[in-house]
């Protein structure tokens, strides 16, 4: 089961606390993944297509419970994608037109309603149910172990913009993208996605996303530390190579026996430990020396080499 299917399965188990919330959820499902056919005054039929069994069950349950409408269900299997497709048909029947008006899908005398059904969205639970239905019908969410991405595909600009406003009421920042005649409402941040999941009632999945984010945070922190350590090691290796070249120059131009004891000891320990950082090298000295003291020995050695070079010139 895909992560999207898991989310929709959880949402299907969230019961609207009021009849108004159930109307709102069914309205969103029909509006987002339903196709309305018109055969004359008062003669309508609807087909609802989905790839998720939980969505099909919810649509049928609410249609029977709220309006007692006749429905049929056809289940088809895609050989290519090895998935099931569910087709719910609500055939032409006398009660259907009134049901569509009650659901805010039809406006008497004006045809399809362009935006969200404001008359159904007067309570917080109804708004939650409507957004829940819209996601169940047209939503996708990436597995949070990979990336944070959630989107809902809808048709109609006014409907899309008003749905974005409803999502924003949960404290989730959604964006709108026009895509081949349709609209994609999408969220890409952890905070926005968890706010929307909780707003829709998907508490369990919200916790799964939180855990995934925590694991990512730990992994990223470890990676940052490893990268920093590797960068430090690279810098230390480069500095050690420069110091070895400086020591070779000092031996050629000045001679080891002519160096002050502290510098001669530094040269001997560095040659014996080319892989160590300057701080670690200081601990190999007898007596041990601080990183600062070792750095000053390098500067002093460089100064002596520069003086020797100037005398030759």
């Amino acid at each position: 089961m895909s992560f999207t299917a898991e989310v929709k399965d959880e949402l299907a188990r969230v019961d609207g606390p009021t009849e108004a919330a159930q109307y709102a959820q069914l309205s969103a499902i029909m509006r987002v993944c339903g196709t309305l056919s018109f055969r004359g005054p008062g003669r309508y039929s609807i087909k609802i297509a989905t790839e998720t069994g939980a969505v099909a069950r919810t649509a049928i349950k609410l249609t029977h419970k709220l309006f007692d409408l006749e429905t049929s269900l056809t289940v088809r299997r895609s050989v290519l994608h090895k998935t099931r497709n569910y087709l719910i048909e609500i055939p032409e029947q006398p009660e259907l037109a009134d049901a569509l008006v009650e659901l805010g899908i039809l406006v008497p005398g004006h045809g399809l309603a362009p935006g969200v059904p404001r008359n159904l969205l007067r309570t917080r639970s109804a708004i939650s149910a409507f957004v829940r239905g819209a996601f169940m019908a047209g939503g996708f969410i990436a597995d949070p172990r990979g990336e944070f991405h959630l989107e809902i595909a809808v048709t109609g600009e006014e409907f899309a913009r008003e749905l974005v406003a409803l999502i924003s009421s949960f404290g989730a920042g959604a964006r709108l993208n026009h895509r081949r005649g349709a609209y994609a409402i999408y969220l890409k941040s952890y905070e926005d996605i968890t706010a929307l999941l909780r707003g829709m009632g998907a508490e369990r999945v919200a916790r799964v996303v939180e855990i995934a984010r925590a694991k990512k945070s730990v992994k990223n922190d470890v990676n940052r530390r490893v990268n920093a350590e590797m960068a430090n090691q690279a810098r230390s290796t480069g500095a050690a190579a420069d110091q070895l070249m400086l020591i070779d120059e000092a031996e050629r131009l000045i001679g080891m026996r002519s160096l002050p004891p502290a510098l001669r000891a530094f040269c001997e320990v560095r040659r014996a430990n080319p892989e160590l950082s300057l701080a670690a090298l200081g601990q190999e000295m007898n007596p041990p020396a601080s990183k600062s003291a070792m750095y000053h020995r390098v500067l002093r050695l460089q100064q002596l080499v520069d003086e020797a070079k100037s005398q030759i010139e």
Side-chain angles (χ1 to χ4, degrees):
M1 181 184 291
S2 70
F3 192 73
T4 297
E6 287 184 37
V7 176
K8 292 182 179 182
D9 186 67
E10 180 179 357
L11 292 175
R13 301 173 192 277
V14 179
D15 291 324
T18 64
E19 193 173 78
Q22 294 165 12
Y23 274 95
Q25 185 172 2
L26 180 59
S27 173
I29 292 173
M30 285 190 175
R31 176 63 187 269
V32 175
C33 68
T35 302
L36 180 65
S37 298
F38 173 67
R39 295 184 179 83
R43 300 182 62 189
Y44 300 96
S45 63
I46 292 182
K47 292 182 179 179
I48 300 173
T50 179
E51 295 182 352
T52 309
V55 178
R57 290 193 300 272
T58 300
I60 292 172
K61 179 183 73 174
L62 291 177
T63 299
H64 290 172
K65 179 180 180 180
L66 299 175
F67 299 106
D68 195 26
L69 293 172
E70 177 188 345
T71 63
S72 65
L73 173 65
T74 303
V75 182
R76 299 170 293 186
R77 180 178 290 277
S78 170
V79 177
L80 179 61
H81 299 100
K82 297 182 179 180
T83 58
R84 289 182 178 178
N85 295 296
Y86 301 86
L87 178 64
I88 303 164
E89 297 185 77
I90 306 177
E92 180 183 325
Q93 49 198 295
E95 302 84 359
L96 182 54
D98 290 339
L100 293 173
V101 172
E102 277 195 73
L103 291 172
I105 295 173
L106 285 180
V107 178
H110 296 280
L112 285 173
V116 302
R118 293 288 178 184
N119 61 308
L120 294 181
L121 308 178
R122 294 173 180 168
T123 65
R124 192 68 177 169
S125 63
I127 292 172
S128 176
F130 188 83
V131 176
R132 181 164 63 247
F135 179 84
M136 291 176 67
F140 163 82
I141 181 171
D143 190 324
R145 290 173 297 181
E147 63 174 337
F148 294 123
H149 182 87
L150 182 151
E151 68 176 54
I152 305 173
V154 300
T155 57
E157 183 176 3
E158 184 175 344
F159 180 84
R161 293 192 182 282
E162 292 182 3
L163 183 55
V164 167
L166 294 180
I167 291 171
S168 297
S169 71
F170 299 143
R175 297 181 180 180
L176 189 60
N177 184 28
H178 192 196
R179 185 185 298 166
R180 295 191 298 275
Y183 292 86
I185 299 166
Y186 67 95
L187 300 84
K188 295 186 74 70
S189 78
Y190 152 79
E191 292 82 5
D192 292 332
I193 290 173
T194 51
L196 176 55
L197 289 172
R198 288 203 160 91
M200 294 188 296
E203 285 290 339
R204 184 191 67 81
V205 175
R207 289 193 295 272
V208 170
V209 174
E210 286 178 340
I211 292 170
R213 194 236 189 177
K215 289 182 178 179
K216 279 185 180 181
S217 180
V218 171
K219 182 179 179 181
N220 290 339
D221 185 55
V222 170
N223 286 339
R224 279 194 298 270
R225 294 187 180 188
V226 169
N227 290 337
E229 183 61 32
M230 289 177 66
N232 289 336
Q233 186 65 37
R235 284 194 293 270
S236 297
T237 301
D242 291 341
Q243 292 160 21
L244 289 170
M245 291 176 61
L246 179 62
I247 292 169
D248 289 343
E249 281 192 295
E251 184 173 30
R252 179 171 56 83
L253 296 172
I254 304 170
M256 285 292 156
R257 293 182 180 277
S258 300
L259 292 176
L263 294 186
R264 188 165 61 250
F266 162 75
C267 294
E268 292 171 353
V269 174
R270 169 50 81 195
R271 280 179 164 173
N273 300 278
E275 78 287 354
L276 294 182
S277 67
L278 204 57
L281 193 68
Q283 299 307 304
E284 298 297 317
M285 303 294 291
N286 186 20
S290 66
K291 179 180 178 180
S292 176
M294 297 296 286
Y295 180 66
H296 281 91
R297 293 184 192 186
V298 174
L299 293 181
R300 177 58 179 155
L301 186 62
Q302 182 68 63
Q303 183 182 11
L304 293 177
V305 169
D306 290 343
E307 290 174 357
K309 285 181 178 179
S310 65
Q311 291 174 4
I312 294 174
E313 294 173 356

